């Protein structure tokens, strides 16, 4: 069955460092993959979308890579700030209009 | 950008009562909306797909008679939790995708926290 895995352990880093979050998927080949941010008690907010023919995509301090061979996407936040602290969800496209999310990784940026 | 609202943001009800949650797309039309449920420390799980003018499509294991969905217009979908029980306490989130938008980018509502006593 299709599976999406994100590191369930919280990631704690110092302000100014680069945060790297991982999303692995198995048993399907998504045409694209999305990353969302979710704050406690709030709905997810769209951040970035990367297509299967794109190796890398950037938006301000965010960078996403998509390795279809490894079946993995990496999400980077450079020069991290305490305001970046949140849970980050990946959603590889499964062929449905509705999104299927990974379990999310909580990022905590220490000042 | 596209905005989705939900009402109420928080509701507490007694066991056995019914609760209605509204999801509105404020500045765009959405022929399809989605309802998710999220339990603490877990990811969002799709409950159903709400189609304007037709019956909703429910995910396996979601009782359609318990979670009534009505998508009466292109900007409004409602989820009614009937005869709510404490195990229905959860965070309910709706989303909508822009018609014709690329890549299936979705816009989520702020969520509704339901607590059943």
């Amino acid at each position: 069955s299709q599976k999406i895995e994100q590191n369930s352990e919280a990631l704690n880093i110092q302000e100014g460092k680069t945060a790297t979050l991982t999303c692995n998927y198995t048993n399907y080949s998504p045409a694209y993959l999305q990353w969302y941010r979710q704050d406690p008690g709030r709905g997810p907010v769209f951040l970035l979308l990367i297509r299967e023919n794109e190796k890398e995509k950037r938006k301000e301090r965010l960078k996403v890579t998509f390795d279809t061979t490894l079946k993995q996407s990496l999400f980077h936040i450079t020069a991290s700030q305490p305001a970046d602290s949140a849970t980050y969800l990946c959603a590889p496209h499964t062929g449905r209009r509705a999104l299927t999310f990974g379990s999310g990784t909580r990022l905590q940026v220490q000042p | 950008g596209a905005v989705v609202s939900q009402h109420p943001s928080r509701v507490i009800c007694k066991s056995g009562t019914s609760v209605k949650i509204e999801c509105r797309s404020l500045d765009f039309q959405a022929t399809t909306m989605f309802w998710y449920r999220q339990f603490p420390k877990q990811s969002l799980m799709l409950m159903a797909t709400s189609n304007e003018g037709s019956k909703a499509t429910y995910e396996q294991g979601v009782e359609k008679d318990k979670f009534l969905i009505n998508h009466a217009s292109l900007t409004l979908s409602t989820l009614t939790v009937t005869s709510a029980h404490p195990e229905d306490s959860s965070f309910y989130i709706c989303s909508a995708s822009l018609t014709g938008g690329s890549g299936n980018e979705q816009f989520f509502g702020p969520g509704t926290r339901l607590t059943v006593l």
Side-chain angles (χ1 to χ4, degrees):
Chain A
S1 60
Q2 296 174 346
K3 200 173 178 182
I4 304 166
E5 292 183 332
Q6 291 185 258
N7 193 342
S8 58
E9 293 184 15
L11 177 63
N12 291 287
I13 63 169
Q14 284 296 121
E15 182 177 7
K17 300 292 185 183
T18 297
T20 299
L21 287 72
T22 305
C23 175
N24 295 293
Y25 56 90
T26 54
N27 294 326
Y28 67 114
S29 299
Y32 54 85
L33 187 148
Q34 303 184 45
W35 283 88
Y36 286 77
R37 168 185 173 140
Q38 186 177 25
D39 291 284
R42 307 292 294 173
V45 175
F46 172 78
L47 296 175
L48 277 170
L49 179 152
I50 186 166
R51 300 186 186 282
E52 61 178 341
N53 60 348
E54 298 174 311
K55 293 290 185 186
E56 179 182 297
K57 200 147 187 189
R58 293 174 184 261
K59 179 182 176 182
E60 298 173 352
R61 294 184 295 111
L62 309 180
K63 185 179 84 171
V64 172
T65 63
F66 193 6
D67 189 325
T68 55
T69 300
L70 291 178
K71 294 187 179 293
Q72 180 182 81
S73 174
L74 299 179
F75 177 81
H76 307 271
I77 305 176
T78 59
S80 59
Q81 304 166 0
D84 295 327
S85 299
T87 295
Y88 292 86
L89 305 166
C90 74
H93 177 57
T94 61
R96 307 180 63 183
R97 286 195 66 193
L99 292 176
T100 302
F101 290 93
S103 55
T105 298
R106 188 165 61 88
L107 172 66
Q108 188 69 40
V109 181
Q110 306 290 345
Chain B
V3 179
V4 175
S5 70
Q6 278 184 245
H7 178 80
S9 59
R10 189 181 296 266
V11 58
I12 301 173
C13 69
K14 292 183 179 179
S15 185
T17 60
S18 293
V19 174
K20 180 187 281 189
I21 302 170
E22 292 186 350
C23 176
R24 294 181 184 272
S25 55
L26 297 186
D27 49 3
F28 68 102
Q29 293 184 332
T31 54
T32 303
M33 292 184 175
F34 307 96
W35 286 96
Y36 295 82
R37 180 167 52 182
Q38 186 175 34
F39 292 105
K41 298 188 186 297
Q42 294 186 24
S43 191
L44 287 78
M45 297 301 295
L46 180 68
M47 298 176 66
T49 300
S50 172
N51 302 299
E52 188 267 336
S54 64
K55 291 183 178 180
T57 305
Y58 290 83
E59 294 300 294
Q60 191 173 11
V62 178
E63 298 176 58
K64 62 179 181 180
D65 295 329
K66 181 170 183 61
F67 298 99
L68 301 178
I69 291 174
N70 185 10
H71 196 149
S73 76
L74 288 172
T75 59
L76 174 64
S77 176
T78 60
L79 168 69
T80 302
V81 183
T82 62
S83 187
H85 291 285
E87 58 265 30
D88 298 323
S89 298
S90 188
F91 192 51
Y92 292 86
I93 309 173
C94 70
S95 73
S97 56
L98 279 171
T99 303
S102 62
N104 202 28
E105 175 185 341
Q106 289 195 12
F107 300 92
F108 286 82
T112 297
R113 173 74 59 192
L114 171 63
T115 302
V116 184
L117 303 177

